[in-house]
Amino acid sequence: MSRYIPQVLGVGMLQMISVNNLKKSYGDFCAVNDISFAIQKGEILGFLGPNGAGKTSTINMMTGLSRATAGEIMIDGIDVKRETKKAQAIMGIVADESNLYNEMDGFENLCFCAALYGMPKSERESKAWQLLAQFRLKDAGKRPVKAYSKGMRRKLTIAAALMHAPQILFLDEPTSGIDVESSRQIREMIVELKHKGTTIFLSTHYIEEAERACDRIAFIAAGRIVASGSIPELMNSVSHGHTISLVTAKNAEAFVDELQSCFEASKVTIQSDHSLVMVSERRIALFPVMEFFHEKGIDIYEARELRPSLEDVFVKLTGIESSVLRKDKEMGKRQ
Amino acid sequence: MKSWIAFWNILKKDVRNYYLKPPNISWGIIFPLSWTLMQIIRTPDENVLGLLPGLISMSVLFGTTSMLAVTITFERSSRSFERLLLAPISLNTMVLAKITGTIIFGVFNALVPIIFASFFTDLPALNWGAALFTILLVALTSALMGLLIAVSAKQVFEAQTFSNFFRFPMLFLCGLFVPISRLPVFLRPVSYCLPLTYGNDILNGLITGINTLSAPLCFGMLSLFSVVLFLLCKYNINRKWIG
Ligand SMILES: Nc1ncnc2c1ncn2[C@@H]1O[C@H](COP(=O)(O)OP(=O)(O)OP(=O)(O)O)[C@@H](O)[C@H]1O
Ligand SMILES: [Mg+2]
């Protein structure tokens, strides 16, 4: 069951990408199963899912590197399946792994990539230096790519995709294998591109990345989009109730039943000796609760509302352990 | 214009990265050179000119098939080849750009036995234009065969094995050093299914004046092979590389 609800676009919003009932099978195995989504111009859509969810398969179909088994892909009004080359002219693609020419230097790589898009020599040379500077690779510009570190290669791959100033950027796990500082730089650059009007499709399995950079997120698991929407929409889509957590001076175990009857429809659990959690369908006002404890002669040191994280929402919707979204890459690499 | 920029840069990159690399230059020169020497030493009485067509054909065949199959499988395994598939250039432009480098390499290889032979004998006054055109056609068909091998191979060593599997038999099947009339009867039809047979026959006619087929037929067959192989390559690339 797909929870995807077609986006109703507001006036003046331009739909840049629309994917309908897209499917990809490898033999009997269905890697992408009937997914649909739309991306507006200048929007960043995060495609968040664990290993093997079908992220790369989806990108490959959208960029024309592989053939869809079924479904429709429209990019800026161009049918990708019929006019692949025309659609590719406005795309920039960062593959999940380095696909640079190792025997050439960084500068040559950038120039060559731009030449494939028909960019004239003088233009591509100045753009290459500009991007090398932006990615702090200027000093390494004349060094062969095989002498680059993994992070440097990743950055150069992204720069190569930006050479021809694409209207749409596909990023397949752009920050995998990159240190925190460089990841931050890349995220900032992604947001900057968005402000310039670039439409971005970002596949990732880092929740934090999706949360920080994306306007909307689609959760993908086992080839299906389980949910999609803006972060607040996703938060609201799961009924998590309202939760408050209290830290008391004494163990409040004795008052649990009384508390539950006083505050209708709430469920109280003692978490550790001195802390308890109340969950209710309706919002719980803090003051009456504090007053309750005051009457019992128990001081309260801390009271706060607990909000679900995007991670909780993901776990709830997909039934997949959230740890999968953080460590799997490193584990996958080691295998 | 845009296609032209892409074409030219792919060609330039290949020449610089692969064809001008010392190991490849030496392969291109040493192999034809040693083979030429071997043949001349083995058959000292024989007219050097009689060997020349076969040596030219062989040099072109070995230069082109090995280079293209190896460089393409190499780029495919390092995934840089994806860039060409993702670029907004037609498959025709891409294939042409890839094989042009190899063809140039093949033509230069053909010069090795010609220069070498000129030390041993006076080269006859022959139609060099026609010879060059034939060499180009041989290089084109061989390059396309190399491409066909590249499409089937997944690894560089696989490409090398495949290409050797094809080209060593071709040395004997295409009349390069043994006339086809001396082959066992059951092998002769195979000879006429290989483009090199026709190219070599034209070269034989041009250089020694001994050809077995008519030149227009040979040119026609070479052109036909070029077109068929080109279409076959495109069909296979579409089927295998765009998964
Ligand atoms: N060429 C192929 N042949 C067969 N199965 C494939 C092929 N490519 C991908 N798959 C399968 O399809 C599924 C989805 O793969 P895909 O690469 O799209 O996942 P992903 O979400 O990108 O994962 P990751 O985070 O590891 O990159 C996987 O189960 C994978 O094994
Ligand atoms: Mg992937």
Side-chain angles (χ1 to χ4, degrees):
Chain A
M1 180 204 62
S2 165
R3 290 178 60 111
Y4 170 74
I5 302 154
Q7 296 288 313
V8 179
L9 300 182
V11 179
M13 284 181 176
L14 210 64
Q15 190 165 298
M16 202 63 174
I17 298 178
S18 104
V19 168
N20 289 306
N21 308 104
L22 191 63
K23 225 173 153 169
K24 178 74 189 180
S25 302
Y26 299 104
D28 292 339
F29 178 71
C30 192
V32 175
N33 196 349
D34 201 24
I35 63 169
S36 303
F37 57 87
I39 313 179
Q40 296 154 34
K41 187 172 165 53
E43 192 185 30
I44 306 179
L45 177 77
F47 218 51
L48 182 68
N51 282 152
K55 303 183 294 293
T56 302
S57 300
T58 304
I59 291 188
N60 286 350
M61 285 187 282
M62 293 173 79
T63 54
L65 200 58
S66 85
R67 256 183 278 275
T69 309
E72 185 198 52
I73 307 160
M74 298 294 287
I75 287 190
D76 198 21
I78 306 164
D79 183 345
V80 175
K81 283 165 95 174
R82 281 195 293 121
E83 293 182 282
T84 314
K85 294 294 158 192
K86 193 174 166 198
Q88 283 174 340
I90 57 166
M91 297 179 186
I93 300 142
V94 176
D96 53 349
E97 275 170 43
S98 163
N99 54 0
L100 299 160
Y101 293 89
N102 287 323
E103 58 283 358
M104 300 201 288
D105 65 35
F107 174 74
E108 283 169 345
N109 260 285
L110 295 188
C111 289
F112 179 72
C113 292
L116 292 178
Y117 291 80
M119 204 183 213
K121 190 176 162 84
S122 59
E123 219 173 289
R124 55 180 192 255
E125 289 187 345
S126 63
K127 186 74 186 268
W129 282 122
Q130 181 201 323
L131 281 171
L132 284 169
Q134 192 183 332
F135 282 87
R136 299 182 197 173
L137 289 171
K138 204 165 183 174
D139 296 337
K142 281 288 171 193
R143 263 164 44 199
V145 167
K146 56 175 170 261
Y148 277 27
S149 75
K150 199 173 161 202
M152 288 161 82
R153 251 178 249 166
R154 201 76 197 123
K155 288 201 257 182
L156 192 68
T157 310
I158 299 174
L162 298 178
M163 280 296 287
H164 59 290
Q167 291 179 46
I168 299 169
L169 188 62
F170 290 89
L171 297 156
D172 199 350
E173 316 212 354
T175 61
S176 70
I178 279 194
D179 65 34
V180 180
E181 171 59 16
S182 301
S183 295
R184 197 181 51 77
Q185 259 177 42
I186 287 172
R187 265 199 305 275
E188 278 170 4
M189 181 221 67
I190 293 171
V191 173
E192 197 178 303
L193 283 169
K194 165 206 152 80
H195 290 312
K196 287 184 189 153
T198 311
T199 307
I200 297 166
F201 183 97
L202 175 103
S203 124
T204 181
H205 59 226
Y206 297 116
I207 276 201
E208 296 82 2
E209 182 160 290
E211 209 166 1
R212 281 186 205 157
C214 302
D215 298 310
R216 275 190 311 125
I217 295 173
F219 288 154
I220 178 166
R224 287 174 180 279
I225 292 184
V226 185
S228 74
S230 63
I231 293 169
E233 278 166 1
L234 286 168
M235 298 285 198
N236 290 332
S237 70
V238 292
S239 64
H240 48 78
H242 291 274
T243 308
I244 57 170
S245 135
L246 302 173
V247 179
T248 50
K250 278 192 280 185
N251 188 331
E253 188 124 39
F255 306 107
V256 168
D257 289 341
E258 201 180 330
L259 199 57
Q260 263 169 190
S261 64
C262 273
F263 297 91
E264 236 180 299
S266 67
K267 195 171 162 288
V268 178
T269 42
I270 302 285
Q271 294 241 308
S272 67
D273 243 14
H274 294 166
S275 97
L276 66 85
V277 169
M278 289 174 76
V279 183
S280 165
E281 281 298 310
R282 277 184 278 139
R283 279 197 108 144
I284 308 165
L286 273 181
F287 186 69
V289 177
M290 298 186 43
E291 206 166 40
F292 174 93
F293 281 104
H294 183 69
E295 277 168 18
K296 305 289 176 205
I298 297 176
D299 286 337
I300 292 185
Y301 295 142
E302 194 185 312
R304 65 197 166 98
E305 187 178 5
L306 294 182
R307 292 176 163 277
S309 64
L310 192 60
E311 203 166 308
D312 299 328
V313 177
F314 181 85
V315 172
K316 244 189 180 140
L317 289 172
T318 60
I320 294 170
E321 274 298 313
S322 61
S323 60
V324 157
L325 292 172
R326 290 204 220 114
K327 301 191 192 92
D328 53 356
K329 194 74 184 185
E330 283 67 34
M331 275 153 56
K333 282 272 142 63
R334 246 176 271 144
Q335 274 166 14
Chain B
M1 184 60 199
K2 285 192 168 180
S3 291
W4 171 248
I5 292 179
F7 172 90
W8 177 242
N9 278 278
I10 295 172
L11 175 60
K12 216 167 56 175
K13 175 191 76 66
D14 281 358
V15 169
R16 200 182 297 156
N17 285 348
Y18 306 126
Y19 302 115
L20 289 183
K21 284 279 150 75
N24 296 322
I25 295 180
S26 62
W27 168 256
I29 292 173
I30 288 170
F31 189 75
L33 205 70
S34 53
W35 190 281
T36 307
L37 258 178
M38 189 180 88
Q39 292 289 338
I40 291 170
I41 293 167
R42 255 194 47 189
T43 49
D45 328 324
E46 203 173 329
N47 187 356
V48 174
L49 278 185
L51 289 170
L52 194 56
L55 289 170
I56 294 174
S57 300
M58 187 208 65
S59 303
V60 177
L61 175 73
F62 271 71
T64 46
T65 45
S66 64
M67 282 311 285
L68 200 61
V70 171
T71 55
I72 287 186
T73 34
F74 173 72
E75 284 188 5
R76 292 219 348 116
S77 60
S78 74
R79 291 191 52 177
S80 51
F81 198 81
E82 266 175 24
R83 293 199 174 271
L84 303 183
L85 296 173
L86 287 170
I89 45 171
S90 70
L91 213 51
N92 286 343
T93 309
M94 195 259 275
V95 170
L96 282 176
K98 278 296 190 195
I99 62 175
T100 304
T102 318
I103 291 171
I104 297 172
F105 186 69
V107 172
F108 273 102
N109 274 9
L111 293 180
V112 175
I114 295 176
I115 294 168
F116 211 70
S118 69
F119 288 114
F120 289 88
T121 181
D122 292 328
L123 293 178
L126 54 90
N127 185 345
W128 285 107
L132 183 67
F133 186 63
T134 312
I135 289 169
L136 272 174
L137 279 176
V138 171
L140 173 63
T141 49
S142 307
L144 286 168
M145 282 198 303
L147 183 57
L148 214 52
I149 291 165
V151 185
S152 322
K154 289 201 176 65
Q155 301 285 331
V156 174
F157 77 87
E158 232 176 61
Q160 274 162 333
T161 316
F162 273 167
S163 52
N164 283 335
F165 184 76
F166 282 100
R167 59 199 183 168
F168 276 107
M170 278 168 77
L171 290 185
F172 303 98
L173 287 171
C174 298
L176 265 53
F177 304 105
V178 186
I180 294 171
S181 57
R182 272 203 257 150
L183 290 178
V185 181
F186 70 95
L187 277 180
R188 284 180 219 165
V190 183
S191 302
Y192 292 106
C193 294
L194 297 165
L196 194 58
T197 303
Y198 302 97
N200 191 60
D201 199 66
I202 304 175
L203 290 176
N204 255 325
L206 285 171
I207 297 169
T208 64
I210 310 163
N211 48 331
T212 56
L213 303 162
S214 84
L217 172 77
C218 289
F219 279 120
M221 286 305 284
L222 279 175
S223 312
L224 185 69
F225 269 111
S226 306
V227 174
V228 171
L229 283 167
F230 189 81
L231 294 177
L232 210 59
C233 283
K234 261 186 68 175
Y235 172 78
N236 267 317
I237 289 172
N238 242 320
R239 206 168 48 97
K240 293 211 170 159
W241 286 350
I242 303 174

